[in-house]
Structures are given as structure tokens and as C-alpha cells.
Amino acid sequence: MSVMPVAQPNPFRIFDTIQGYQRAFALKAAIDLDLFTAIARGNHTAAEIAKACKASERGVRMLSDAMVVLGFLTKAGNQYSLTADTAFFLDREAPAYLGHAFSFLMHPVQLSGFQDLTESVRRGGTIERNGTLAPEDPIWLEFARGMAPLMMPAAEAIAGILQAELASKSTAKILDIAASHGLFGLTVAQKLPKAHIYALDWANVLQVAKENAQRQGMSERYHLLSGSAFDVDYGSGFDAVLLTNFLHHFEPAENEKLLKKAHAALNPGGQVIILEFVPNEDRVSPPVPALFSLSMLTNTPHGDAYTLAEYREMCRNAGFEGPKQIPLDPMPQSLLVARKSF
Amino acid sequence: MSVMPVAQPNPFRIFDTIQGYQRAFALKAAIDLDLFTAIARGNHTAAEIAKACKASERGVRMLSDAMVVLGFLTKAGNQYSLTADTAFFLDREAPAYLGHAFSFLMHPVQLSGFQDLTESVRRGGTIERNGTLAPEDPIWLEFARGMAPLMMPAAEAIAGILQAELASKSTAKILDIAASHGLFGLTVAQKLPKAHIYALDWANVLQVAKENAQRQGMSERYHLLSGSAFDVDYGSGFDAVLLTNFLHHFEPAENEKLLKKAHAALNPGGQVIILEFVPNEDRVSPPVPALFSLSMLTNTPHGDAYTLAEYREMCRNAGFEGPKQIPLDPMPQSLLVARKSF
């Protein structure tokens, strides 16, 4: 005989969720103050770290303790040290430093969007007329400057697909829509030394891509198309069109317009490669792609995190075969690869 | 022979922490819209819930999916249902409804404090002159109106201690400092039918306590002392002094002043009962008391989450024996009970 334990009502999840905003701002404060970089440079007590960060010892002690609670630091006696992941990603001098991504991920526009989420749910979309979709919205400069390191695994995967497809060709022509930092097209250009990249984005954002192309010595093979992806003439003869982090901003009918333009610009047999948050058909898993729909609710009039079935319908209505979904584990995004018939 | 798996650097914890602000505002939006109450009343599809919440079906579908991801709802097909904890705590008609606590826990002042955390760390305290400690600061009305349900377990524990101590006495006199909603003193008054409660708080806040005392038919035994706990004359002859959710706002020297005033007002053998977030001596565990120090950093000039050793020193410097710590698991706070010598 055993007595089944009866679960008591527990409000822990409620308070843990509420406290999430405090944890987010605590980590942002540590990034803003370069706390992790100070520790990487050999400062371990609150007094040493405070001096390096030009902050109060009391505040640094409290923030450092919070970073231990959240798993970003360890503490032995009064000495703070970096975890392996923190040293890898949050020391400003580390190659994989992710601190610049905070400027986009915790941009005031994103924060105020979520502060206004109640009203966005009432209306069914952003409470700003166009959300973050206005021409040359400066938030996309923050994206271009901060988010490239996060996109490395996806860029490598895209370049791998196109290398397998196009390496035997004497030349190749790639259209990179919403090019942003330029990483996707430039990674392809590195793998395919004869490929020409056509980068499309708002003129202000293209400056970032252009500088990155110059830095990599790619300027001669890097061409700029500035303006709205809905309006700009793409040209023709492309072997591939990249649509990265873009289609989630729009409603399906608008995406079909874009996909039809991409289809028309491609050579027969050409591919469209889409990088997206793709939740399962239940729309509640995996967590990160599923929750992404709220960002689209607050930031856009009609955007969403679309399922594979929804992307399949958009692609087919635009004339493509596919798409095939390629997960990018452990990254939360997927590639969707569709092809124009030969 | 086995091959040890090598841990790969993983940025999951960083993005999960950043996303915390989105989860907090998503839950707040569900509370604002009374989403859980709508489901409790038998609305299960996004269309039904949207109609009950006077919101868009699209927004409600996205928010409800997010609530499933966060563990507050379940989903089967297109039907959403409450979890047991959600039905217990987040249905507005449930006796243990916690939704009113959001008005304090996510008050604009709390949010802006954390948005300014970087500067608070630099300075070592709130960037507002007195933070939330200004006379009659309206945030304490939100605390008084919203936080009482959360304080029930602590109130019951305090009343139990005083019942064991004072039930045999023909009368008793209890000073409830920072009385707020009045719950602590009123719960004691229910257990000790001859006790008189002296409730001290800002005049605006005392209106909430007074109304609660009237509602419970306790007005004749409920006395109001309005003003600052540092300035008001407490009187004398008290059997117990309650200091709930209060000492964390001040520096130790100020707390010793308050404790000396409490000591002087107590009868010999009387007790001071302190309700507090008390982290372990390492200051990084348990998580909730440890993280509470950041709220004091942003909201006050000198407050903190003090350890037991620190409270012991303050109590002893004020003339008390003790204190003894009484955890209130699963609640994250503790009682500290110290005694004036006979």
C-alpha cells in the first residue's frame, strides 16, 4: 500500500515568470558595465571588479551575486569567476562575444512593444502603424551590428548547401534579400570564389553589409540593391535567393508576392533558402520558435512564426517545389529550401 | 572504453535570460485581459476566449500558445485549458487569486528601476533620491491592495507564534509597523480576541488597513498610527512588535534605530517578529532571497537582503536576544524572532 502524494498548489512558476524581467535587466547591466570582461582580465573581488568597471563596490557585489544565482558566474569565498560559457560568449575580447546582440534583443522598441502587449493582443498586431517595418527603421542597424555572431551556424549551413550545388559552375549569382550585416552572402562568397552576391536591404543598413564586404576584400563581387524587397527590381539569372529572418514579418499573401518575385528572378533549378523560426504544427513547441510569434504580434501588423505546412503552402502558391526543412540544432531556427523546377 | 562527451559552448542560458522580459510581460498581458478567467468560465478556443476578453482572435491565439509554452495552460487540438495551479491562482474568481499582485510586482516604478539598473550599480543605490521611500509613495497603495494574498502563510505563522505566547493573557497589545494591508495584525487579532492592534504606516496606506479592519469587524481593537516609523511615537506596553517587509529598505544603522525604538516600546519578555528575505551567508542562495538585493539596489538608497548574521548583529546592538530564524517554505521569506529580556 502506498499513499499518493497530493500536489499542493504552488505559485512558484508565476513569480519565477514575473521575475524574468529582473533577470533580463540584470544580465544587460552586467553587459553594459563589462563586468565579465573585467573578471576575464583577472579582477575577482567586488572591490577589484568595481574599480575596473568604474562602478560602486556595493552595486557590483549585488550584481555579481545575482550573476552567480543566474549561472553566469561562480563564487568561492568573496572571489567571482567566469563559467566556461560566460568566458566564451560574454568576455568582450572573446571571438564569439555576444554582448552586441543585446542592443537589438533588448532594444527600447522591443521592450516597449512587450510593455504594450496587452493592447497588441486586443488589436491583433502592433500598436504602431508599421511596427518595425517602416522604411530605414534604425532598429535594423542594431540588428546588422549586433546579430551577425548569432547567425554564423546558419550562414555556414547555407554556404554548405550552395557549395554542394554550385561549386562545379564557373560562376554563380546569389540574391541576398534582407542582407543586414551581409554575413549570409559573404559566407557564400567565401565558399564560392566566383559567385557574385546581390545584397538587398534598406540603404542605411546596406552600409554595414558594404563595410563588411570591404573588410573581407569582397567588394568587387558584392552588389547593392537598396530599398524595399517588395518594390526593388531583383533582375534575373540567379542561382539562389536567400530570405533570412524576413518572411515572419508579413502575412502569407505578402510572402507569396515576395516568393513569386524570387521565383521569377531564379534560373530553372534555382533554390530559395529561407531562414526562419518554425514551430511545430501544435504551435507550442519547441519553446523558442513558438514564443517568437509574440515578437511579431508586438512588432508588426500581420507577422507570425509560421509552421512548415504554412510555408509549404506559400512556396507552392509561388510555384516552388518543397520546401525541405533543415533544423540547425542547437540553434532555434531552421532552413527551408525550395526549388524552382528545371 | 568510453569517450567522454565534451561540453560544447552553448548560448542557451544567455538567450533564455534575455527572453525573461518577454515571458513576464506575456503573463502580465494574460492577467490584464483576464484570459484565465475567460477559460475558467468555459471558453476554450481562441475565438471563444477572444470574444470573452474583448480581444482579437489572432492575438489571443498567439498569447494562449505562449501561455502553453510557459506552462500556464494546456492545449489539445485547438482547445486551451487551465492547469491546476493556474485555476487555483489566476482565475479572478478563485479565493487565492494572485492577479492583483502584478500591480505591485510589475509596477512601472519597479520596471523603470530595473531598466536603470546599470546606473544603480555604478552609484550603489537608487537613481531616484529616495527611491520608493518617499513619504506616502503611491506604490505602497499597490502593495497594500495587491500583496495580501501572498502574505497569508506568513501571517498565519506570526499569529500562531503569538497565540502560543499570549493566549493565556487577559489582554495583549501588538504594534504592526509598516502594516500595509493590515493582514498581519488582523490575523493576530482573529487568533487573540482580546488583543489590540496598533497599525503604523503612511496615512494613505492606512486607509486600506482601516477598511480591511472594518470589513472584519475589528475596528474597536484596531488603532492607527500614521507617519514614518522613524518619527512616530510608538507608545509603550507592547507584547510584540511586527516588522514585516520593512527592514530591507534601510541600512543597518537605521535598522538599529528602529529596533531600539521597538525594544523601548516592548514589555520585558516581549518579541519583535521580523518578516524578511534572508539569503544564506554566501548571498547567492536560495535564489529568490539572493536576487531580492537587486530590487533594493534599484529602489532604495541603502537597502539590501541581509543575512541572518547581519540581522543578528542589528538585533543584538538594539538590545534583543536572538533572533531565531523560522523558514516559511515553500514561501521564499523567513521569520526572525528576537526577544527583549525579562
Side-chain angles (χ1 to χ4, degrees):
Chain A
M1 259 180 64
S2 71
V3 178
M4 286 290 287
V6 177
Q8 295 294 311
N10 191 327
F12 174 80
R13 189 189 297 270
I14 297 167
F15 297 111
D16 189 61
T17 302
I18 292 173
Q19 206 182 45
Y21 82 86
Q22 300 185 353
R23 295 190 296 258
F25 285 110
L27 183 58
K28 181 172 186 299
I31 295 293
D32 288 346
L33 291 161
D34 246 345
L35 186 91
F36 304 116
T37 309
I39 298 173
R41 287 182 180 166
N43 303 289
H44 291 285
T45 66
E48 291 165 355
I49 301 164
K51 194 174 171 192
C53 294
K54 297 184 173 59
S56 72
E57 179 176 343
R58 168 182 148 84
V60 164
R61 183 260 294 169
M62 288 168 154
L63 183 63
S64 299
D65 283 338
M67 290 301 105
V68 177
V69 175
L70 302 187
F72 296 106
L73 293 177
T74 60
K75 184 179 186 183
N78 66 351
Q79 306 264 315
Y80 301 95
S81 297
L82 303 182
T83 67
D85 280 345
T86 302
F88 193 87
F89 292 117
L90 299 180
D91 167 10
R92 188 179 292 273
E93 290 167 22
Y97 180 63
L98 293 182
H100 299 300
F102 283 70
S103 302
F104 175 74
L105 294 171
M106 293 191 73
H107 193 283
V109 167
Q110 309 256 34
L111 299 174
S112 70
F114 272 87
Q115 287 189 271
D116 296 330
L117 181 58
T118 303
E119 189 55 29
S120 285
V121 174
R122 287 201 184 103
R123 297 190 195 182
T126 182
I127 68 169
E128 302 288 334
R129 191 167 158 275
N130 285 313
T132 55
L133 303 183
E136 306 210 356
D137 190 304
I139 196 172
W140 301 115
L141 274 175
E142 299 299 337
F143 186 98
R145 289 175 183 144
M147 296 293 282
L150 279 171
M151 297 296 151
M152 276 305 301
E156 294 287 344
I158 291 170
I161 290 167
L162 292 180
Q163 190 178 30
E165 179 92 6
L166 302 172
S168 61
K169 288 192 63 172
S170 63
T171 181
K173 205 174 153 185
I174 314 290
L175 175 60
D176 187 0
I177 295 177
S180 186
H181 33 66
L183 178 72
F184 298 108
L186 291 168
T187 306
V188 172
Q190 284 173 342
K191 291 258 170 77
L192 294 171
K194 292 175 183 164
H196 281 251
I197 311 298
Y198 292 76
L200 189 157
D201 214 315
W202 299 124
N204 59 341
V205 177
L206 277 181
Q207 288 305 309
V208 181
K210 185 180 170 187
E211 285 164 23
N212 288 335
Q214 284 169 341
R215 196 173 298 126
Q216 296 184 29
M218 301 282 188
S219 296
E220 288 185 17
R221 299 193 282 134
Y222 204 76
H223 312 279
L224 306 179
L225 300 172
S226 72
S228 160
F230 291 92
D231 301 330
V232 169
D233 181 0
Y234 298 166
S236 61
F238 289 100
D239 298 287
V241 176
L242 314 185
L243 273 165
T244 56
N245 301 310
F246 196 54
L247 298 184
H248 51 241
H249 295 102
F250 311 105
E251 62 197 305
E254 294 295 297
N255 285 334
E256 288 179 15
K257 281 187 208 167
L258 278 174
L259 287 164
K260 281 176 186 164
K261 276 189 77 173
H263 190 271
L266 281 167
N267 291 327
Q271 290 172 303
V272 61
I273 303 184
I274 298 164
L275 176 66
E276 273 303 339
F277 292 97
V278 184
N280 295 329
E281 297 304 318
D282 63 13
R283 296 198 112 93
V284 295
S285 64
V288 175
L291 285 177
F292 185 73
S293 70
L294 287 187
S295 290
M296 293 303 97
L297 180 64
T298 63
N299 285 341
T300 72
H302 305 293
D304 204 344
Y306 295 107
T307 64
L308 178 59
E310 289 169 331
Y311 278 117
R312 182 178 295 128
E313 190 177 348
M314 293 179 226
C315 285
R316 293 198 173 171
N317 287 345
F320 285 100
E321 296 168 8
K324 181 173 62 170
Q325 183 173 5
I326 303 171
L328 297 171
D329 293 332
M331 304 304 290
Q333 293 184 298
S334 294
L335 294 178
L336 300 172
V337 183
R339 196 181 286 278
K340 178 175 179 172
S341 306
F342 284 97
Chain B
M1 260 179 59
S2 72
V3 178
M4 286 289 287
V6 177
Q8 295 295 311
N10 190 329
F12 173 79
R13 189 188 296 271
I14 297 166
F15 297 111
D16 189 59
T17 301
I18 292 172
Q19 206 183 45
Y21 82 85
Q22 300 184 354
R23 295 189 296 257
F25 285 111
L27 183 57
K28 182 173 186 296
I31 295 292
D32 289 346
L33 292 161
D34 246 345
L35 185 90
F36 304 117
T37 309
I39 297 173
R41 287 184 180 165
N43 302 289
H44 291 284
T45 66
E48 291 165 354
I49 301 165
K51 194 173 171 193
C53 295
K54 297 184 173 58
S56 71
E57 179 176 344
R58 169 182 148 85
V60 165
R61 184 259 295 170
M62 289 167 153
L63 183 62
S64 300
D65 282 339
M67 291 301 104
V68 177
V69 175
L70 302 187
F72 295 105
L73 293 177
T74 60
K75 184 180 186 182
N78 67 349
Q79 304 265 315
Y80 301 95
S81 298
L82 303 183
T83 67
D85 280 346
T86 302
F88 194 86
F89 292 117
L90 299 181
D91 168 8
R92 188 180 291 272
E93 290 167 22
Y97 180 63
L98 293 181
H100 299 300
F102 283 69
S103 301
F104 174 74
L105 294 171
M106 295 192 72
H107 192 284
V109 167
Q110 308 257 34
L111 298 174
S112 70
F114 272 87
Q115 286 189 273
D116 294 331
L117 181 59
T118 303
E119 189 56 27
S120 285
V121 175
R122 288 201 183 101
R123 298 189 194 182
T126 182
I127 67 169
E128 301 289 333
R129 191 168 158 274
N130 285 311
T132 54
L133 303 183
E136 309 209 356
D137 190 305
I139 196 174
W140 301 115
L141 274 175
E142 299 299 337
F143 186 96
R145 289 176 183 142
M147 296 293 280
L150 279 170
M151 296 298 152
M152 275 303 302
E156 294 286 344
I158 291 171
I161 290 167
L162 293 180
Q163 190 178 30
E165 180 92 5
L166 302 173
S168 61
K169 287 192 62 172
S170 62
T171 181
K173 207 173 149 185
I174 313 291
L175 177 59
D176 187 1
I177 295 178
S180 186
H181 34 66
L183 179 72
F184 299 108
L186 290 170
T187 306
V188 172
Q190 283 174 341
K191 291 259 169 79
L192 293 172
K194 291 174 184 166
H196 280 251
I197 311 298
Y198 292 76
L200 190 157
D201 213 315
W202 300 122
N204 58 340
V205 178
L206 277 181
Q207 288 306 308
V208 181
K210 185 181 169 186
E211 284 164 23
N212 287 335
Q214 283 170 342
R215 196 172 299 126
Q216 296 184 28
M218 300 282 187
S219 296
E220 289 183 16
R221 298 192 282 134
Y222 204 76
H223 312 279
L224 307 179
L225 299 172
S226 71
S228 160
F230 291 92
D231 302 331
V232 170
D233 181 1
Y234 298 167
S236 62
F238 289 100
D239 298 289
V241 175
L242 314 186
L243 274 165
T244 55
N245 300 309
F246 196 53
L247 298 183
H248 50 242
H249 295 102
F250 312 106
E251 63 196 304
E254 294 295 297
N255 285 334
E256 289 179 15
K257 280 188 208 166
L258 278 175
L259 288 163
K260 281 176 185 162
K261 276 190 77 174
H263 190 271
L266 280 167
N267 291 327
Q271 291 172 302
V272 61
I273 303 184
I274 297 164
L275 176 66
E276 272 303 341
F277 292 97
V278 184
N280 295 329
E281 297 305 318
D282 62 13
R283 293 197 114 93
V284 296
S285 64
V288 175
L291 285 177
F292 185 73
S293 70
L294 287 187
S295 290
M296 292 304 96
L297 180 64
T298 62
N299 285 341
T300 72
H302 305 292
D304 205 344
Y306 295 107
T307 65
L308 178 60
E310 290 169 331
Y311 277 118
R312 183 178 294 128
E313 190 176 348
M314 293 179 226
C315 285
R316 293 199 172 170
N317 288 344
F320 285 100
E321 296 169 6
K324 182 174 65 170
Q325 184 173 5
I326 302 171
L328 296 172
D329 293 332
M331 303 305 289
Q333 294 184 297
S334 293
L335 294 179
L336 300 172
V337 183
R339 195 181 287 277
K340 178 174 178 174
S341 304
F342 283 95

